[in-house]
């Protein structure tokens, strides 16, 4: 490794990164905790202001959802952070992450603790406040040495990744457009393995409107929405196939035992492996809705979308993975990758035909649970990995 690269890596301050993680993880920033997200956005803006360029806090796009009684209501989200550095550069990258966590202010998991093996347990320490520290440390080290003056980049830290990035999807698409490559800071697996190909996802709410009646006196005049919703769930579950999983997750509705229920809402998640599976799933939803509506004499209203397309590893993405793996080898790391059914904003970035590696964050585990932990030594390790990968791109590596 060249002395110039060693000099850049020497700027990575593991102790400062850990202190930053602990500071950020002390702020509850659940997706719907707007005050916590505002605090987090302010702290991130102050931290990323150390980089050249303009930090902006961008208002979320409007988003709505279906309530348990079938109404459509707006959903408020926090602002998203962006940073543009050397926007006129010919070769530009995208670095992205999220400030929200799955833990709202009413969740019991709010504090940090040290595990016996030295891992840090805490809400969001791995997913992904540790990852944001990795991103910031790598870019700061590179900028301090003037090592990437030849390239430009955008940073995006959104506030709604954990719930599908619905209020930031347009922003993601706009910032991804035309980029040579992108890095996301979702956590790697505990052994450092990277996520490769990803399936897509879609979440839907299907509101069924029937007709109420007395369950004993005139049930034949009723149209049971709960039964129709159950029929919908069974029909959609039967649509599963290789490359497509279907999870009917919840039915809201029903009431007193002596009343034929006139309303129900089915919640269902789809995980298609590719575009063809997405098309099959969409057709299955339409067919099931029409069939159930006719068979039960009810109305069915569909709400939702396939908000994250499947992310294959094409030739360009393969070259980017190879570059990251080579950077890891310089650091003595053996990096593997494997396909996963999980989704993230990397799906949306890849949909803009941008090669992306989206698990450049820390090593850790038990995310989305009260046992979430960060392997502290991975902070400096993964910052070094990002630093070298970006440095090689700045030096002209083929993408």
């Amino acid at each position: 490794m060249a002395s110039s690269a060693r000099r850049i890596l020497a700027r990575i301050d593991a102790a400062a990164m850990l202190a930053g993680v602990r500071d950020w993880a002390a702020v509850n920033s659940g997706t719907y905790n707007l005050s916590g997200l505002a605090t987090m956005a302010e702290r991130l803006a102050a931290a990323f202001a150390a980089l050249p360029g303009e930090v902006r806090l961008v208002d979320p796009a409007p988003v709505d959802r279906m309530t348990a009684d079938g109404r459509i209501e707006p959903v408020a989200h926090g602002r998203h952070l962006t940073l543009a550095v050397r926007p006129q550069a010919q070769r530009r990258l995208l670095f992205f992450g999220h400030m929200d966590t799955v833990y709202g202010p009413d969740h019991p998991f709010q504090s940090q603790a040290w595990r016996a093996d030295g891992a840090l347990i805490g809400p969001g320490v791995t997913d992904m406040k540790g990852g944001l520290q990795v991103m910031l440390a790598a870019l700061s080290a590179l900028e301090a040495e003037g090592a990437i003056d030849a390239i430009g980049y955008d940073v995006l830290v959104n506030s709604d990744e954990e719930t599908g990035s619905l209020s930031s999807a347009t922003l993601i698409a706009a910032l991804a457009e035309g980029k040579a490559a992108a890095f996301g800071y979702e956590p790697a697996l505990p052994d450092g393995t990277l996520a490769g190909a990803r399936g897509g996802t879609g979440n839907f709410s299907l509101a069924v409107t029937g007709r109420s009646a007395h369950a004993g006196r005139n049930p034949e005049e009723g149209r049971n929405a709960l039964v129709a919703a159950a029929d919908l769930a069974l029909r959609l579950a039967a649509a599963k196939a290789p490359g497509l999983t279907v999870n009917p997750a919840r039915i809201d509705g029903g009431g007193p035992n002596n009343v034929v229920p006139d309303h129900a809402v089915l919640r269902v998640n789809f995980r298609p492996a590719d575009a063809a599976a997405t098309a099959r799933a969409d057709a299955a939803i339409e067919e099931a809705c029409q069939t159930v509506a006719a068979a039960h004499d009810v109305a069915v209203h569909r709400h939702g979308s396939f908000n994250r397309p499947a992310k294959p590893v094409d030739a360009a993405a393969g070259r980017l993975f190879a570059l990251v793996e080579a950077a890891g080898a310089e650091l003595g790391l053996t990096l593997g990758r494997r396909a996963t059914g999980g989704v993230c904003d990397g799906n949306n970035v890849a949909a803009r035909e941008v090669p992306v590696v989206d698990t450049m964050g820390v090593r850790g585990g038990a995310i989305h649970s009260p046992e979430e932990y960060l392997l502290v030594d991975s902070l400096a390790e993964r910052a070094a990995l990002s630093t070298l990968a970006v440095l090689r791109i700045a030096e002209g590596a083929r993408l």
Side-chain angles (χ1 to χ4, degrees), residues 85-357:
V85 176
R86 293 182 288 277
Q88 303 309 315
Q90 192 168 26
R91 199 178 209 196
R92 305 194 69 240
L93 307 177
L94 174 64
F95 301 90
F96 61 94
H98 61 89
M99 69 181 81
D100 62 322
T101 73
V102 298
Y103 316 102
D106 56 347
H107 194 283
F109 188 34
Q110 301 291 338
S111 60
Q112 301 167 38
W114 290 103
R115 215 167 62 177
D117 62 357
L120 177 64
I121 299 172
V125 291
T126 295
D127 186 19
M128 67 170 352
K129 291 171 182 179
L132 295 178
Q133 279 290 331
V134 168
M135 181 204 301
L136 178 60
L139 292 175
S140 297
L142 290 160
E143 291 288 1
E145 292 289 329
I148 54 172
D149 289 349
I151 63 174
Y153 56 89
D154 284 294
V155 170
L156 168 64
V157 183
N158 61 356
S159 69
D160 64 341
E161 190 277 339
E162 295 292 5
T163 54
S165 302
L166 298 177
S167 80
S168 58
T170 301
L171 185 59
I172 294 169
L175 293 179
E177 196 68 36
K179 295 298 191 294
F183 293 111
Y185 288 82
E186 293 292 342
L189 296 178
D191 66 356
T193 298
L194 305 170
R198 292 182 181 272
T201 190
N203 289 299
F204 293 86
S205 297
L206 305 173
V208 180
T209 303
R211 184 187 308 143
S212 61
H214 193 287
R217 178 174 294 182
N218 58 332
E220 71 283 352
E221 294 181 15
R223 299 294 181 267
N224 194 309
L226 197 67
V227 170
D231 190 7
L232 259 180
L234 291 171
R235 290 175 185 274
L236 291 174
K240 68 180 180 181
L244 176 64
T245 63
V246 185
N247 183 45
R250 176 172 178 156
I251 295 178
D252 294 304
N257 284 353
N258 62 349
V259 177
V260 175
D262 65 351
H263 171 76
V265 176
L266 169 67
R267 319 285 185 171
V268 59
N269 172 257
F270 295 83
R271 300 279 175 147
D274 51 32
T278 301
R280 292 198 304 273
D282 189 65
I285 297 170
E286 285 302 307
E287 180 181 359
C289 288
Q290 292 176 17
T291 301
V292 167
H296 295 268
D297 191 18
V298 297
V300 181
H301 175 70
R302 166 179 169 173
H303 183 271
S305 66
F306 291 97
N307 60 302
R308 284 187 167 134
K311 188 197 84 170
V313 176
D314 60 13
R319 289 193 294 272
L320 186 62
F321 272 106
L323 182 149
V324 172
E325 289 161 6
E330 287 191 73
L331 297 167
L333 305 174
T334 301
L335 301 178
R337 74 172 188 260
R338 73 183 192 197
T340 175
V343 296
C344 72
D345 289 336
N347 293 66
N348 303 68
V349 171
R352 309 308 296 178
E353 299 184 349
V354 176
V356 57
V357 177

Side-chain angles (χ1 to χ4, degrees), residues 3-9 11 52 86 93 138-153 386-396:
S3 59
S4 58
R6 293 184 186 279
R7 188 171 62 249
I8 296 167
L9 294 179
R11 288 185 171 274
R86 293 182 288 277
L93 307 177
L139 292 175
S140 297
L142 290 160
E143 291 288 1
E145 292 289 329
I148 54 172
D149 289 349
I151 63 174
Y153 56 89
S386 274
T387 298
L388 276 186
V390 176
L391 182 61
R392 299 304 174 232
I393 294 172
E395 292 171 343

